[in-house]
Amino acid sequence: MSERHLSAQQLGRLLDTDRSARPFYRALAQGVRGLVRDGSVPVRMRMPAERHLAQELGVSRTTVTAAYDLLREQGYLDSRQGSGSWTALPDPSVCADNPWLSVDDDGLLQMHCAAPPATTMLTEAVAGAMEDLPRYGMGTGYDPMGLPALRERIAAHYTARGLATRPEQILVTTGSQHALQLVMSLLLTPGDPVVVESPTYPHAIDAARHRGARIVPVGITAEGWQPDLMAGAMRQSAPGWPTSCPTSRTPRAR
């Protein structure tokens, strides 16, 4: 497969950088970073040589070198001595420049999003999934319970850890919100208490309220749950066993 290469002329046309910005190398780095983030420049695209880009933009080579150095520092360029530089994406779990981990303009944390940073194995996993895509694209590609092969792997994982599990006992959801909706639909009836952390994921509260549940908040600290507060909330909320699922041994209160 031929190497993907971005010429200085192509990059120059894509960049919408104010030439009067100072320092310009930072503005240039920000422009390239934006192109990589929004997909205008794919990952693993070979960047033009510093000298050629400097000529195209009409700036000194030192300026382009400083911009490339900054992009490498931020994780958006990979370079090998004598071989050139390629676009990259930084490790989202450790990158201080991650836009999804920043606070809003008003300085408030994004509490509406209860998700950890993406794993560093994400790129490899997506590439592997793309290789398997043709196998699952012949039909609709949809199974209400999840792909059989995936359910078999999950069941085998639980069995290996000591909990004997069959594939037909596994349901793969489209995400945590889907799982919350299904569990609450099964276990909750109107008026049932649901113990939640405070603060907590707001959409979990929405799912409980949709079932007519009674929200019982329990404050948490930087150290996590306080056992005495949790025990008090459980006593006061009078949790019971779900009548809609008589074989379950899971309390209604969550």
PDB file of all heavy atoms in Angstrom, residues 10-46:
ATOM      1  N   GLN A  10      -1.089  21.320  -0.571  1.00  0.00           N
ATOM      2  CA  GLN A  10      -2.365  20.821  -0.060  1.00  0.00           C
ATOM      3  C   GLN A  10      -2.617  21.318   1.365  1.00  0.00           C
ATOM      4  O   GLN A  10      -3.721  21.769   1.683  1.00  0.00           O
ATOM      5  CB  GLN A  10      -2.365  19.285  -0.091  1.00  0.00           C
ATOM      6  CG  GLN A  10      -2.419  18.699  -1.481  1.00  0.00           C
ATOM      7  CD  GLN A  10      -2.214  17.196  -1.480  1.00  0.00           C
ATOM      8  OE1 GLN A  10      -1.416  16.656  -0.699  1.00  0.00           O
ATOM      9  NE2 GLN A  10      -2.935  16.505  -2.344  1.00  0.00           N
ATOM     10  N   LEU A  11      -1.603  21.239   2.211  1.00  0.00           N
ATOM     11  CA  LEU A  11      -1.760  21.698   3.585  1.00  0.00           C
ATOM     12  C   LEU A  11      -1.996  23.201   3.623  1.00  0.00           C
ATOM     13  O   LEU A  11      -2.815  23.699   4.404  1.00  0.00           O
ATOM     14  CB  LEU A  11      -0.531  21.329   4.414  1.00  0.00           C
ATOM     15  CG  LEU A  11      -0.574  21.716   5.899  1.00  0.00           C
ATOM     16  CD1 LEU A  11      -1.802  21.138   6.575  1.00  0.00           C
ATOM     17  CD2 LEU A  11       0.698  21.262   6.609  1.00  0.00           C
ATOM     18  N   GLY A  12      -1.307  23.938   2.765  1.00  0.00           N
ATOM     19  CA  GLY A  12      -1.495  25.379   2.724  1.00  0.00           C
ATOM     20  C   GLY A  12      -2.919  25.763   2.373  1.00  0.00           C
ATOM     21  O   GLY A  12      -3.465  26.739   2.912  1.00  0.00           O
ATOM     22  N   ARG A  13      -3.539  25.000   1.457  1.00  0.00           N
ATOM     23  CA  ARG A  13      -4.932  25.288   1.081  1.00  0.00           C
ATOM     24  C   ARG A  13      -5.908  24.956   2.214  1.00  0.00           C
ATOM     25  O   ARG A  13      -6.943  25.605   2.362  1.00  0.00           O
ATOM     26  CB  ARG A  13      -5.303  24.501  -0.178  1.00  0.00           C
ATOM     27  CG  ARG A  13      -4.664  25.040  -1.452  1.00  0.00           C
ATOM     28  CD  ARG A  13      -5.325  24.452  -2.691  1.00  0.00           C
ATOM     29  NE  ARG A  13      -5.134  23.011  -2.770  1.00  0.00           N
ATOM     30  CZ  ARG A  13      -4.134  22.432  -3.425  1.00  0.00           C
ATOM     31  NH1 ARG A  13      -3.229  23.183  -4.050  1.00  0.00           N
ATOM     32  NH2 ARG A  13      -4.035  21.118  -3.478  1.00  0.00           N
ATOM     33  N   LEU A  14      -5.572  23.936   3.000  1.00  0.00           N
ATOM     34  CA  LEU A  14      -6.459  23.529   4.091  1.00  0.00           C
ATOM     35  C   LEU A  14      -6.384  24.460   5.295  1.00  0.00           C
ATOM     36  O   LEU A  14      -7.371  24.654   6.011  1.00  0.00           O
ATOM     37  CB  LEU A  14      -6.115  22.105   4.543  1.00  0.00           C
ATOM     38  CG  LEU A  14      -6.467  20.968   3.578  1.00  0.00           C
ATOM     39  CD1 LEU A  14      -5.883  19.656   4.084  1.00  0.00           C
ATOM     40  CD2 LEU A  14      -7.985  20.846   3.414  1.00  0.00           C
ATOM     41  N   LEU A  15      -5.213  25.035   5.519  1.00  0.00           N
ATOM     42  CA  LEU A  15      -5.010  25.869   6.700  1.00  0.00           C
ATOM     43  C   LEU A  15      -5.732  27.206   6.556  1.00  0.00           C
ATOM     44  O   LEU A  15      -5.676  27.855   5.516  1.00  0.00           O
ATOM     45  CB  LEU A  15      -3.517  26.129   6.917  1.00  0.00           C
ATOM     46  CG  LEU A  15      -2.699  24.967   7.486  1.00  0.00           C
ATOM     47  CD1 LEU A  15      -1.213  25.273   7.401  1.00  0.00           C
ATOM     48  CD2 LEU A  15      -3.102  24.685   8.923  1.00  0.00           C
ATOM     49  N   ASP A  16      -6.442  27.567   7.615  1.00  0.00           N
ATOM     50  CA  ASP A  16      -7.110  28.871   7.667  1.00  0.00           C
ATOM     51  C   ASP A  16      -6.523  29.628   8.847  1.00  0.00           C
ATOM     52  O   ASP A  16      -7.181  29.868   9.855  1.00  0.00           O
ATOM     53  CB  ASP A  16      -8.618  28.681   7.815  1.00  0.00           C
ATOM     54  CG  ASP A  16      -9.374  30.001   7.790  1.00  0.00           C
ATOM     55  OD1 ASP A  16      -8.799  30.988   7.285  1.00  0.00           O
ATOM     56  OD2 ASP A  16     -10.511  30.053   8.289  1.00  0.00           O
ATOM     57  N   THR A  17      -5.258  29.970   8.714  1.00  0.00           N
ATOM     58  CA  THR A  17      -4.510  30.560   9.817  1.00  0.00           C
ATOM     59  C   THR A  17      -4.238  32.032   9.550  1.00  0.00           C
ATOM     60  O   THR A  17      -3.811  32.408   8.446  1.00  0.00           O
ATOM     61  CB  THR A  17      -3.170  29.821  10.017  1.00  0.00           C
ATOM     62  OG1 THR A  17      -3.424  28.431  10.218  1.00  0.00           O
ATOM     63  CG2 THR A  17      -2.446  30.363  11.229  1.00  0.00           C
ATOM     64  N   ASP A  18      -4.497  32.846  10.534  1.00  0.00           N
ATOM     65  CA  ASP A  18      -4.228  34.278  10.435  1.00  0.00           C
ATOM     66  C   ASP A  18      -2.715  34.505  10.397  1.00  0.00           C
ATOM     67  O   ASP A  18      -2.014  34.223  11.374  1.00  0.00           O
ATOM     68  CB  ASP A  18      -4.865  35.006  11.627  1.00  0.00           C
ATOM     69  CG  ASP A  18      -4.659  36.518  11.569  1.00  0.00           C
ATOM     70  OD1 ASP A  18      -4.109  37.008  10.556  1.00  0.00           O
ATOM     71  OD2 ASP A  18      -5.063  37.187  12.535  1.00  0.00           O
ATOM     72  N   ARG A  19      -2.197  34.992   9.276  1.00  0.00           N
ATOM     73  CA  ARG A  19      -0.752  35.160   9.129  1.00  0.00           C
ATOM     74  C   ARG A  19      -0.210  36.255  10.051  1.00  0.00           C
ATOM     75  O   ARG A  19       0.996  36.322  10.274  1.00  0.00           O
ATOM     76  CB  ARG A  19      -0.403  35.504   7.679  1.00  0.00           C
ATOM     77  CG  ARG A  19      -0.868  34.460   6.670  1.00  0.00           C
ATOM     78  CD  ARG A  19      -0.231  33.107   6.907  1.00  0.00           C
ATOM     79  NE  ARG A  19      -0.786  32.082   6.056  1.00  0.00           N
ATOM     80  CZ  ARG A  19      -0.347  31.811   4.827  1.00  0.00           C
ATOM     81  NH1 ARG A  19       0.648  32.502   4.318  1.00  0.00           N
ATOM     82  NH2 ARG A  19      -0.899  30.850   4.121  1.00  0.00           N
ATOM     83  N   SER A  20      -1.112  37.098  10.587  1.00  0.00           N
ATOM     84  CA  SER A  20      -0.631  38.153  11.488  1.00  0.00           C
ATOM     85  C   SER A  20      -0.605  37.714  12.946  1.00  0.00           C
ATOM     86  O   SER A  20      -0.202  38.475  13.824  1.00  0.00           O
ATOM     87  CB  SER A  20      -1.524  39.395  11.353  1.00  0.00           C
ATOM     88  OG  SER A  20      -2.854  39.115  11.767  1.00  0.00           O
ATOM     89  N   ALA A  21      -1.045  36.477  13.209  1.00  0.00           N
ATOM     90  CA  ALA A  21      -1.077  35.985  14.591  1.00  0.00           C
ATOM     91  C   ALA A  21       0.334  35.872  15.142  1.00  0.00           C
ATOM     92  O   ALA A  21       1.263  35.479  14.432  1.00  0.00           O
ATOM     93  CB  ALA A  21      -1.781  34.628  14.651  1.00  0.00           C
ATOM     94  N   ARG A  22       0.490  36.195  16.405  1.00  0.00           N
ATOM     95  CA  ARG A  22       1.793  36.142  17.055  1.00  0.00           C
ATOM     96  C   ARG A  22       1.669  35.427  18.407  1.00  0.00           C
ATOM     97  O   ARG A  22       0.748  35.714  19.170  1.00  0.00           O
ATOM     98  CB  ARG A  22       2.357  37.558  17.269  1.00  0.00           C
ATOM     99  CG  ARG A  22       2.675  38.291  15.975  1.00  0.00           C
ATOM    100  CD  ARG A  22       3.849  37.625  15.235  1.00  0.00           C
ATOM    101  NE  ARG A  22       4.209  38.351  14.009  1.00  0.00           N
ATOM    102  CZ  ARG A  22       3.651  38.112  12.827  1.00  0.00           C
ATOM    103  NH1 ARG A  22       2.730  37.152  12.702  1.00  0.00           N
ATOM    104  NH2 ARG A  22       4.023  38.804  11.773  1.00  0.00           N
ATOM    105  N   PRO A  23       2.552  34.470  18.687  1.00  0.00           N
ATOM    106  CA  PRO A  23       3.560  33.947  17.770  1.00  0.00           C
ATOM    107  C   PRO A  23       2.925  33.045  16.716  1.00  0.00           C
ATOM    108  O   PRO A  23       2.026  32.255  17.031  1.00  0.00           O
ATOM    109  CB  PRO A  23       4.514  33.173  18.674  1.00  0.00           C
ATOM    110  CG  PRO A  23       3.663  32.740  19.820  1.00  0.00           C
ATOM    111  CD  PRO A  23       2.644  33.830  20.024  1.00  0.00           C
ATOM    112  N   PHE A  24       3.403  33.166  15.486  1.00  0.00           N
ATOM    113  CA  PHE A  24       2.749  32.458  14.383  1.00  0.00           C
ATOM    114  C   PHE A  24       2.918  30.952  14.490  1.00  0.00           C
ATOM    115  O   PHE A  24       2.070  30.195  14.044  1.00  0.00           O
ATOM    116  CB  PHE A  24       3.297  32.962  13.040  1.00  0.00           C
ATOM    117  CG  PHE A  24       2.635  32.307  11.863  1.00  0.00           C
ATOM    118  CD1 PHE A  24       1.308  32.587  11.549  1.00  0.00           C
ATOM    119  CD2 PHE A  24       3.320  31.380  11.085  1.00  0.00           C
ATOM    120  CE1 PHE A  24       0.689  31.974  10.470  1.00  0.00           C
ATOM    121  CE2 PHE A  24       2.702  30.759  10.010  1.00  0.00           C
ATOM    122  CZ  PHE A  24       1.380  31.063   9.700  1.00  0.00           C
ATOM    123  N   TYR A  25       4.024  30.484  15.075  1.00  0.00           N
ATOM    124  CA  TYR A  25       4.226  29.037  15.139  1.00  0.00           C
ATOM    125  C   TYR A  25       3.127  28.364  15.962  1.00  0.00           C
ATOM    126  O   TYR A  25       2.704  27.238  15.667  1.00  0.00           O
ATOM    127  CB  TYR A  25       5.621  28.706  15.682  1.00  0.00           C
ATOM    128  CG  TYR A  25       5.769  28.756  17.186  1.00  0.00           C
ATOM    129  CD1 TYR A  25       5.562  27.618  17.968  1.00  0.00           C
ATOM    130  CD2 TYR A  25       6.102  29.945  17.826  1.00  0.00           C
ATOM    131  CE1 TYR A  25       5.707  27.668  19.346  1.00  0.00           C
ATOM    132  CE2 TYR A  25       6.249  30.004  19.189  1.00  0.00           C
ATOM    133  CZ  TYR A  25       6.041  28.873  19.954  1.00  0.00           C
ATOM    134  OH  TYR A  25       6.177  28.919  21.321  1.00  0.00           O
ATOM    135  N   ARG A  26       2.637  29.061  16.999  1.00  0.00           N
ATOM    136  CA  ARG A  26       1.542  28.497  17.799  1.00  0.00           C
ATOM    137  C   ARG A  26       0.246  28.471  17.001  1.00  0.00           C
ATOM    138  O   ARG A  26      -0.527  27.509  17.068  1.00  0.00           O
ATOM    139  CB  ARG A  26       1.359  29.297  19.087  1.00  0.00           C
ATOM    140  CG  ARG A  26       2.433  29.052  20.134  1.00  0.00           C
ATOM    141  CD  ARG A  26       2.076  29.672  21.476  1.00  0.00           C
ATOM    142  NE  ARG A  26       3.048  29.326  22.486  1.00  0.00           N
ATOM    143  CZ  ARG A  26       3.013  28.208  23.211  1.00  0.00           C
ATOM    144  NH1 ARG A  26       2.040  27.330  23.020  1.00  0.00           N
ATOM    145  NH2 ARG A  26       3.942  27.961  24.103  1.00  0.00           N
ATOM    146  N   ALA A  27       0.002  29.536  16.250  1.00  0.00           N
ATOM    147  CA  ALA A  27      -1.192  29.569  15.415  1.00  0.00           C
ATOM    148  C   ALA A  27      -1.138  28.480  14.346  1.00  0.00           C
ATOM    149  O   ALA A  27      -2.148  27.833  14.035  1.00  0.00           O
ATOM    150  CB  ALA A  27      -1.330  30.946  14.773  1.00  0.00           C
ATOM    151  N   LEU A  28       0.050  28.257  13.787  1.00  0.00           N
ATOM    152  CA  LEU A  28       0.218  27.212  12.789  1.00  0.00           C
ATOM    153  C   LEU A  28      -0.030  25.841  13.396  1.00  0.00           C
ATOM    154  O   LEU A  28      -0.734  24.992  12.814  1.00  0.00           O
ATOM    155  CB  LEU A  28       1.622  27.300  12.194  1.00  0.00           C
ATOM    156  CG  LEU A  28       2.003  26.217  11.175  1.00  0.00           C
ATOM    157  CD1 LEU A  28       1.041  26.194  10.012  1.00  0.00           C
ATOM    158  CD2 LEU A  28       3.438  26.436  10.683  1.00  0.00           C
ATOM    159  N   ALA A  29       0.540  25.598  14.575  1.00  0.00           N
ATOM    160  CA  ALA A  29       0.323  24.315  15.253  1.00  0.00           C
ATOM    161  C   ALA A  29      -1.150  24.115  15.574  1.00  0.00           C
ATOM    162  O   ALA A  29      -1.698  23.014  15.408  1.00  0.00           O
ATOM    163  CB  ALA A  29       1.164  24.264  16.533  1.00  0.00           C
ATOM    164  N   GLN A  30      -1.822  25.163  16.019  1.00  0.00           N
ATOM    165  CA  GLN A  30      -3.240  25.069  16.332  1.00  0.00           C
ATOM    166  C   GLN A  30      -4.057  24.748  15.082  1.00  0.00           C
ATOM    167  O   GLN A  30      -5.013  23.967  15.129  1.00  0.00           O
ATOM    168  CB  GLN A  30      -3.729  26.373  16.954  1.00  0.00           C
ATOM    169  CG  GLN A  30      -5.200  26.336  17.372  1.00  0.00           C
ATOM    170  CD  GLN A  30      -5.629  27.631  18.051  1.00  0.00           C
ATOM    171  OE1 GLN A  30      -4.831  28.543  18.250  1.00  0.00           O
ATOM    172  NE2 GLN A  30      -6.904  27.726  18.398  1.00  0.00           N
ATOM    173  N   GLY A  31      -3.670  25.343  13.940  1.00  0.00           N
ATOM    174  CA  GLY A  31      -4.382  25.059  12.701  1.00  0.00           C
ATOM    175  C   GLY A  31      -4.242  23.615  12.272  1.00  0.00           C
ATOM    176  O   GLY A  31      -5.220  22.967  11.877  1.00  0.00           O
ATOM    177  N   VAL A  32      -3.021  23.079  12.344  1.00  0.00           N
ATOM    178  CA  VAL A  32      -2.802  21.676  11.987  1.00  0.00           C
ATOM    179  C   VAL A  32      -3.534  20.761  12.953  1.00  0.00           C
ATOM    180  O   VAL A  32      -4.166  19.766  12.552  1.00  0.00           O
ATOM    181  CB  VAL A  32      -1.287  21.359  11.970  1.00  0.00           C
ATOM    182  CG1 VAL A  32      -1.066  19.860  11.762  1.00  0.00           C
ATOM    183  CG2 VAL A  32      -0.589  22.169  10.890  1.00  0.00           C
ATOM    184  N   ARG A  33      -3.474  21.096  14.246  1.00  0.00           N
ATOM    185  CA  ARG A  33      -4.162  20.294  15.271  1.00  0.00           C
ATOM    186  C   ARG A  33      -5.662  20.234  14.989  1.00  0.00           C
ATOM    187  O   ARG A  33      -6.280  19.176  15.099  1.00  0.00           O
ATOM    188  CB  ARG A  33      -3.890  20.896  16.644  1.00  0.00           C
ATOM    189  CG  ARG A  33      -4.388  20.045  17.806  1.00  0.00           C
ATOM    190  CD  ARG A  33      -3.823  20.546  19.115  1.00  0.00           C
ATOM    191  NE  ARG A  33      -4.261  21.901  19.423  1.00  0.00           N
ATOM    192  CZ  ARG A  33      -3.460  22.942  19.571  1.00  0.00           C
ATOM    193  NH1 ARG A  33      -2.151  22.798  19.401  1.00  0.00           N
ATOM    194  NH2 ARG A  33      -3.933  24.130  19.877  1.00  0.00           N
ATOM    195  N   GLY A  34      -6.250  21.357  14.599  1.00  0.00           N
ATOM    196  CA  GLY A  34      -7.672  21.382  14.289  1.00  0.00           C
ATOM    197  C   GLY A  34      -8.014  20.517  13.089  1.00  0.00           C
ATOM    198  O   GLY A  34      -9.055  19.840  13.073  1.00  0.00           O
ATOM    199  N   LEU A  35      -7.142  20.502  12.076  1.00  0.00           N
ATOM    200  CA  LEU A  35      -7.381  19.673  10.897  1.00  0.00           C
ATOM    201  C   LEU A  35      -7.348  18.184  11.236  1.00  0.00           C
ATOM    202  O   LEU A  35      -8.109  17.382  10.684  1.00  0.00           O
ATOM    203  CB  LEU A  35      -6.331  19.988   9.824  1.00  0.00           C
ATOM    204  CG  LEU A  35      -6.396  21.388   9.193  1.00  0.00           C
ATOM    205  CD1 LEU A  35      -5.199  21.601   8.265  1.00  0.00           C
ATOM    206  CD2 LEU A  35      -7.708  21.593   8.434  1.00  0.00           C
ATOM    207  N   VAL A  36      -6.444  17.811  12.151  1.00  0.00           N
ATOM    208  CA  VAL A  36      -6.357  16.402  12.563  1.00  0.00           C
ATOM    209  C   VAL A  36      -7.572  16.019  13.394  1.00  0.00           C
ATOM    210  O   VAL A  36      -8.153  14.943  13.230  1.00  0.00           O
ATOM    211  CB  VAL A  36      -5.051  16.154  13.344  1.00  0.00           C
ATOM    212  CG1 VAL A  36      -5.010  14.723  13.891  1.00  0.00           C
ATOM    213  CG2 VAL A  36      -3.839  16.412  12.458  1.00  0.00           C
ATOM    214  N   ARG A  37      -7.982  16.904  14.300  1.00  0.00           N
ATOM    215  CA  ARG A  37      -9.118  16.604  15.169  1.00  0.00           C
ATOM    216  C   ARG A  37     -10.410  16.392  14.399  1.00  0.00           C
ATOM    217  O   ARG A  37     -11.199  15.501  14.710  1.00  0.00           O
ATOM    218  CB  ARG A  37      -9.319  17.742  16.168  1.00  0.00           C
ATOM    219  CG  ARG A  37      -8.377  17.741  17.349  1.00  0.00           C
ATOM    220  CD  ARG A  37      -8.717  18.905  18.250  1.00  0.00           C
ATOM    221  NE  ARG A  37      -7.870  18.989  19.416  1.00  0.00           N
ATOM    222  CZ  ARG A  37      -7.884  20.009  20.266  1.00  0.00           C
ATOM    223  NH1 ARG A  37      -8.709  21.018  20.060  1.00  0.00           N
ATOM    224  NH2 ARG A  37      -7.079  20.011  21.307  1.00  0.00           N
ATOM    225  N   ASP A  38     -10.666  17.257  13.383  1.00  0.00           N
ATOM    226  CA  ASP A  38     -11.945  17.142  12.676  1.00  0.00           C
ATOM    227  C   ASP A  38     -11.884  16.190  11.495  1.00  0.00           C
ATOM    228  O   ASP A  38     -12.860  16.035  10.765  1.00  0.00           O
ATOM    229  CB  ASP A  38     -12.456  18.519  12.230  1.00  0.00           C
ATOM    230  CG  ASP A  38     -11.565  19.189  11.175  1.00  0.00           C
ATOM    231  OD1 ASP A  38     -10.754  18.502  10.543  1.00  0.00           O
ATOM    232  OD2 ASP A  38     -11.710  20.425  10.995  1.00  0.00           O
ATOM    233  N   GLY A  39     -10.732  15.535  11.305  1.00  0.00           N
ATOM    234  CA  GLY A  39     -10.626  14.525  10.264  1.00  0.00           C
ATOM    235  C   GLY A  39     -10.278  15.059   8.892  1.00  0.00           C
ATOM    236  O   GLY A  39     -10.191  14.285   7.929  1.00  0.00           O
ATOM    237  N   SER A  40     -10.073  16.390   8.758  1.00  0.00           N
ATOM    238  CA  SER A  40      -9.698  16.932   7.447  1.00  0.00           C
ATOM    239  C   SER A  40      -8.354  16.393   6.996  1.00  0.00           C
ATOM    240  O   SER A  40      -8.114  16.191   5.802  1.00  0.00           O
ATOM    241  CB  SER A  40      -9.645  18.466   7.514  1.00  0.00           C
ATOM    242  OG  SER A  40     -10.912  19.008   7.838  1.00  0.00           O
ATOM    243  N   VAL A  41      -7.458  16.148   7.952  1.00  0.00           N
ATOM    244  CA  VAL A  41      -6.184  15.492   7.689  1.00  0.00           C
ATOM    245  C   VAL A  41      -6.183  14.173   8.464  1.00  0.00           C
ATOM    246  O   VAL A  41      -6.226  14.184   9.694  1.00  0.00           O
ATOM    247  CB  VAL A  41      -4.987  16.367   8.122  1.00  0.00           C
ATOM    248  CG1 VAL A  41      -3.681  15.587   7.975  1.00  0.00           C
ATOM    249  CG2 VAL A  41      -4.926  17.646   7.291  1.00  0.00           C
ATOM    250  N   PRO A  42      -6.181  13.034   7.785  1.00  0.00           N
ATOM    251  CA  PRO A  42      -6.250  11.746   8.482  1.00  0.00           C
ATOM    252  C   PRO A  42      -5.016  11.477   9.339  1.00  0.00           C
ATOM    253  O   PRO A  42      -3.949  12.055   9.128  1.00  0.00           O
ATOM    254  CB  PRO A  42      -6.351  10.733   7.338  1.00  0.00           C
ATOM    255  CG  PRO A  42      -6.766  11.524   6.137  1.00  0.00           C
ATOM    256  CD  PRO A  42      -6.178  12.886   6.325  1.00  0.00           C
ATOM    257  N   VAL A  43      -5.187  10.586  10.291  1.00  0.00           N
ATOM    258  CA  VAL A  43      -4.075  10.119  11.103  1.00  0.00           C
ATOM    259  C   VAL A  43      -3.160   9.249  10.236  1.00  0.00           C
ATOM    260  O   VAL A  43      -3.612   8.565   9.318  1.00  0.00           O
ATOM    261  CB  VAL A  43      -4.589   9.332  12.316  1.00  0.00           C
ATOM    262  CG1 VAL A  43      -3.443   8.717  13.109  1.00  0.00           C
ATOM    263  CG2 VAL A  43      -5.411  10.244  13.216  1.00  0.00           C
ATOM    264  N   ARG A  44      -1.876   9.284  10.533  1.00  0.00           N
ATOM    265  CA  ARG A  44      -0.828   8.565   9.798  1.00  0.00           C
ATOM    266  C   ARG A  44      -0.647   9.121   8.392  1.00  0.00           C
ATOM    267  O   ARG A  44      -0.259   8.402   7.466  1.00  0.00           O
ATOM    268  CB  ARG A  44      -1.094   7.056   9.730  1.00  0.00           C
ATOM    269  CG  ARG A  44      -1.129   6.374  11.091  1.00  0.00           C
ATOM    270  CD  ARG A  44       0.103   6.645  11.901  1.00  0.00           C
ATOM    271  NE  ARG A  44       1.345   6.196  11.239  1.00  0.00           N
ATOM    272  CZ  ARG A  44       2.562   6.542  11.636  1.00  0.00           C
ATOM    273  NH1 ARG A  44       2.727   7.356  12.671  1.00  0.00           N
ATOM    274  NH2 ARG A  44       3.623   6.093  10.992  1.00  0.00           N
ATOM    275  N   MET A  45      -0.915  10.402   8.229  1.00  0.00           N
ATOM    276  CA  MET A  45      -0.637  11.093   6.975  1.00  0.00           C
ATOM    277  C   MET A  45       0.746  11.744   7.095  1.00  0.00           C
ATOM    278  O   MET A  45       1.014  12.466   8.060  1.00  0.00           O
ATOM    279  CB  MET A  45      -1.693  12.152   6.713  1.00  0.00           C
ATOM    280  CG  MET A  45      -1.444  12.987   5.465  1.00  0.00           C
ATOM    281  SD  MET A  45      -1.751  12.086   3.925  1.00  0.00           S
ATOM    282  CE  MET A  45      -3.548  12.051   3.951  1.00  0.00           C
ATOM    283  N   ARG A  46       1.605  11.503   6.119  1.00  0.00           N
ATOM    284  CA  ARG A  46       2.938  12.085   6.182  1.00  0.00           C
ATOM    285  C   ARG A  46       2.862  13.580   5.885  1.00  0.00           C
ATOM    286  O   ARG A  46       2.297  14.005   4.888  1.00  0.00           O
ATOM    287  CB  ARG A  46       3.879  11.402   5.196  1.00  0.00           C
ATOM    288  CG  ARG A  46       5.315  11.905   5.323  1.00  0.00           C
ATOM    289  CD  ARG A  46       6.269  11.068   4.518  1.00  0.00           C
ATOM    290  NE  ARG A  46       7.644  11.534   4.680  1.00  0.00           N
ATOM    291  CZ  ARG A  46       8.696  10.928   4.173  1.00  0.00           C
ATOM    292  NH1 ARG A  46       8.548   9.806   3.489  1.00  0.00           N
ATOM    293  NH2 ARG A  46       9.902  11.419   4.357  1.00  0.00           N
TER     294      ARG A  46
END
